[in-house]
Amino acid sequence: MLFPQRFRPPANVVKYTGETNLEVWLEDYRLACWAGGANDDQFIIQYLPICIGENVRAWLEFLPADTIGNLTNLRKVFVRNFQGTYA
């Protein structure tokens, strides 16, 4: 994975652990990546494991290859799995 020139990691986005509103978190993550200099969906998707909690990361690592090809797929897959966890 090549980092975009002058990329600044999202510093103000709390790791997603399933305890916050998923839709809001995904949008905050995407916007923070864009603001940090990443405008490539593939980079944003590949950087995701750094910004999620251990349990969420374990789930992500067990997804079949090529499940997430763009940010729309990312949102669908996450919502399908974590939608009911935020109370």
Side-chain angles (χ1 to χ4, degrees), residues 9-31:
N12 57 344
V13 176
V14 179
K15 286 190 176 201
Y16 182 72
T17 61
E19 298 174 7
T20 58
N21 186 305
L22 174 60
E23 295 282 344
V24 171
W25 186 89
L26 284 170
E27 185 63 14
D28 288 351
Y29 170 72
R30 182 185 64 81
L31 289 172

Side-chain angles (χ1 to χ4, degrees), residues 26-80:
L26 284 170
E27 185 63 14
D28 288 351
Y29 170 72
R30 182 185 64 81
L31 289 172
C33 285
W34 283 3
N39 58 4
D40 174 30
D41 284 3
Q42 291 306 309
F43 176 81
I44 294 170
I45 291 166
Q46 290 177 341
Y47 192 77
L48 181 68
I50 294 170
C51 296
I52 55 180
E54 189 175 306
N55 291 341
V56 178
R57 186 174 182 162
W59 165 81
L60 183 65
E61 290 174 356
F62 283 102
L63 285 176
D66 299 325
T67 299
I68 301 173
N70 57 46
L71 292 175
T72 301
N73 293 136
L74 173 69
R75 183 174 300 277
K76 285 179 186 177
V77 169
F78 262 69
V79 167
R80 190 176 324 132

